[in-house]
Amino acid sequence: MFHISFVCLGNICRSPTAEGVMRHKLASLGALDHVQLDSAGTGAWHVGEPPDRRSTAVAAQRGITLDGAARRFRAKDFGRFDLVLAMDQSNLRDLRAMAPTEAHQGKLFLFRRFDPSAGPQAEVPDPYYGGPRGFEDVLDICDRAADGLLEHLRTVGAL
Ligand code: 4NP
């Protein structure tokens, strides 16, 4: 079993969207028993809350269910995951500062590095204080990056 955690700031918009999109794709492939998915936030403001209703609505329009309760990413979580995928550079910096060892640092990447339409430093932009378009963009980005991530999982033999 391969373990992936998606990490943003609040764990209510981007990371639950990334997790939901990826789970939807794995389910379509009948591959849910090969990969275990998780999401978390670097911040604690929304701990215990369900995904933001704006994210949930955009996902639902595409037949994707978002669920879970927000939790904060902890340094000890690095031990549980093969990949820890940050949504933006700020999340990546916070996670780097938290990663206890070189081995843990090696599990840490920007999620969008798997989006073939984006550069290696590209981010999933924070939609929280913006309009509805930002949430659509997050879904589109997650959709492309998740396809690239699936390709990566095939390459490393996880699928
Ligand atoms: P997320 O979005 O990191 O994609 O879950 C945010 C959610 C909440 C806040 C910021 C971003 N906040 O400042 O409360």
Side-chain angles (χ1 to χ4, degrees):
M1 190 76 144
F2 197 88
H3 293 79
I4 303 172
S5 185
F6 299 96
V7 183
C8 61
L9 181 60
N11 192 209
I12 54 170
C13 302
R14 291 166 293 172
S15 59
T17 300
E19 181 185 1
V21 166
M22 191 65 186
R23 181 167 289 118
H24 186 76
K25 289 182 186 289
L26 286 169
S28 310
L29 294 169
L32 279 176
D33 49 343
H34 294 279
V35 185
Q36 189 151 325
L37 302 176
D38 168 80
S39 66
T42 58
W45 304 282
H46 298 278
V47 166
E49 292 179 20
D52 189 290
R53 66 187 62 204
R54 296 166 295 176
S55 297
T56 306
V58 168
Q61 282 167 7
R62 306 193 194 194
I64 297 167
T65 304
L66 305 188
D67 49 26
R71 71 175 191 92
R72 192 169 194 184
F73 194 90
R74 301 287 182 189
K76 63 175 164 49
D77 289 328
F78 276 105
R80 298 200 284 128
F81 296 105
D82 301 290
L83 280 177
V84 177
L85 300 177
M87 295 297 130
D88 64 29
Q89 300 280 359
S90 164
N91 310 146
L92 185 65
R93 269 195 304 278
D94 290 343
L95 289 164
R96 281 223 171 99
M98 211 190 280
T101 69
E102 203 66 22
H104 293 121
Q105 297 278 349
K107 302 175 176 187
L108 186 51
F109 301 96
L110 285 168
F111 177 42
R112 252 195 124 175
R113 88 195 307 265
F114 298 106
D115 174 357
S117 75
Q121 301 301 322
E123 306 181 310
V124 184
D126 184 350
Y128 190 71
Y129 291 109
R133 179 65 198 272
F135 289 84
E136 295 280 352
D137 287 345
V138 166
L139 206 305
D140 289 335
I141 290 167
C142 287
D143 188 63
R144 291 195 301 269
D147 282 337
L149 179 56
L150 283 174
E151 201 52 51
H152 173 77
L153 294 178
R154 290 189 191 100
T155 305
V156 300
L159 285 186

